Amino acid sequence: MHAAVPTPFGSMLTAMVTPFTPDGQLDLEGAAHLAEYLVRGGNDGLIVCGTAGEASTLRDQEKDDLIRIVKDAVGERALVIAGTGTNDTSHSIDLAKRAAKAGADGQLVVTPYYNKPTQSGVFDHFTSVAGATDLPVMLYDIPGRAGIEIAGDTFKRLAENPRIVAVKDAKADFGSMVEILRKTRLAVYAGDDALAFPWLSAGAAGLVSVSANVAPKHFRHMVDAIRTGAWLHARKLNFELTPLIRAVMDHVPAAVSAKWLLNMQGRLPCDFVRPPLSQPLPTEISGVTAELFDTQWALA
């Protein structure tokens, strides 16, 4: 049953962190190497310039360069989805056009944050950004960051737009997610690592994961097990991934912990994050390592 679920952006997508050099400059070579590692680990899609990619501190030209280098690195092996959403409709339209020119295969458009527009404003924002290019759109519903949700009726209206094909659901509301599946044609992508197993089991198309920066093959195996109906094996893999997910998501901002772990693995030469994010304190990292201690994720 799940193998037939449409996957317009693939079924396994990592929300890539953005590598920087020790002095805070964009590390394009590091981004290419990380993208290659993630695709070899089973990703058929990559999100760049998203939340975990520190999009809020990337300059527009840096976003263009990052999209271009990642697409050059992965070629046709994976789709590259660019985060283009901001809380300024005009700027988002410009970023959408730039992403298309840089070679992106699609765009991730977050609910406009901070402004708290009405649902009419939310609909107009998404419609305007979707209309700016031919790129297919994945909506990004994350009220914990945006301050507002995308309402059910708004989803139904947006689903009538042929360019809007999917939603990254980070609302942590199972009933709402099921209603999207029931009442629209939108493909749902699990946007909360800890909820990937139930969301996929209910019929989500795939997941967009931050933790998968660190363990792409393990997430790939879980996704495949669910999509082929190997439920007991999928549940076992979910249990095994749980400490890692907590390590990445629960103690410091996910970009910070994911970069720290990638650096410990030797996959990133530097774990620099741009302010206002900061390098983790020893007391903060102790929480990350405690989750991993005495499991298959132990760093020793």
Side-chain angles (χ1 to χ4, degrees):
M1 175 178 65
H2 293 287
V5 173
T7 56
F9 295 114
S11 60
M12 171 63 203
L13 295 85
T14 294
M16 272 185 60
V17 299
T18 299
F20 297 117
T21 61
D23 62 353
Q25 300 304 304
L26 186 62
D27 180 3
L28 291 174
E29 183 179 357
H33 286 316
L34 180 58
E36 173 65 30
Y37 163 68
L38 293 172
V39 171
R40 284 191 284 107
N43 283 268
D44 44 13
L46 296 173
I47 304 288
V48 298
C49 309
T51 307
E54 300 176 70
S56 59
T57 58
L58 291 173
R59 291 84 171 169
D60 290 358
Q61 184 60 53
E62 289 179 321
K63 292 178 181 180
D64 297 347
D65 295 341
L66 188 60
I67 294 164
R68 190 173 293 110
I69 199 71
V70 170
K71 187 59 187 176
D72 286 347
V74 304
E76 300 303 313
R77 294 175 296 162
L79 299 176
V80 174
I81 315 306
T84 59
T86 72
N87 64 337
D88 174 356
T89 303
S90 178
H91 189 201
S92 301
I93 289 171
D94 184 52
L95 288 175
K97 293 177 180 177
R98 296 176 71 126
K101 186 176 180 180
D105 299 298
Q107 54 177 324
L108 176 70
V109 187
V110 70
T111 314
Y113 43 85
Y114 188 77
N115 311 54
K116 289 192 173 182
T118 63
Q119 288 299 304
S120 175
V122 170
F123 175 83
D124 290 344
H125 174 83
F126 284 129
T127 302
S128 297
V129 178
T133 75
D134 291 331
L135 295 177
V137 171
M138 179 188 292
L139 306 173
Y140 185 7
D141 189 17
I142 183 165
R145 287 184 181 272
I148 57 171
E149 67 173 3
I150 306 172
D153 286 345
T154 306
F155 272 124
K156 285 190 283 187
R157 294 176 65 202
L158 290 168
E160 296 173 3
N161 188 320
R163 288 205 185 110
I164 298 174
V165 299
V167 55
K168 177 185 175 185
D169 178 70
K171 190 154 40 183
D173 184 335
F174 187 80
S176 173
M177 183 273 294
V178 170
E179 287 301 287
I180 296 171
L181 291 174
R182 286 185 61 238
K183 295 182 177 180
T184 79
R185 59 171 184 78
L186 297 176
V188 173
Y189 285 80
D192 185 326
D193 288 3
L195 298 177
F197 178 75
W199 261 235
L200 286 161
S201 299
L207 80 151
V208 176
S209 170
V210 180
S211 305
N213 277 283
V214 182
K217 289 182 180 179
H218 297 80
F219 280 94
R220 176 79 264 174
H221 292 159
M222 185 180 73
V223 171
D224 288 346
I226 294 170
R227 289 178 62 82
T228 58
W231 303 110
L232 293 179
H233 183 52
R235 186 178 69 169
K236 176 177 179 291
L237 293 170
N238 180 58
F239 288 161
E240 292 174 355
L241 281 166
T242 296
L244 176 69
I245 293 171
R246 287 200 304 259
V248 173
M249 305 302 294
D250 291 357
H251 299 278
V252 292
V256 176
S257 51
K259 283 187 172 182
W260 186 85
L261 288 164
L262 283 164
N263 179 250
M264 292 295 293
Q265 291 177 326
R267 303 197 184 281
L268 280 185
C270 171
D271 63 350
F272 182 90
V273 290
R274 282 181 173 170
L277 296 183
S278 60
Q279 304 309 120
L281 300 172
T283 52
E284 295 168 333
I285 281 300
S286 66
V288 175
T289 56
E291 299 286 5
L292 306 181
F293 181 71
D294 201 25
T295 74
Q296 66 168 316
W297 305 110
L299 296 174

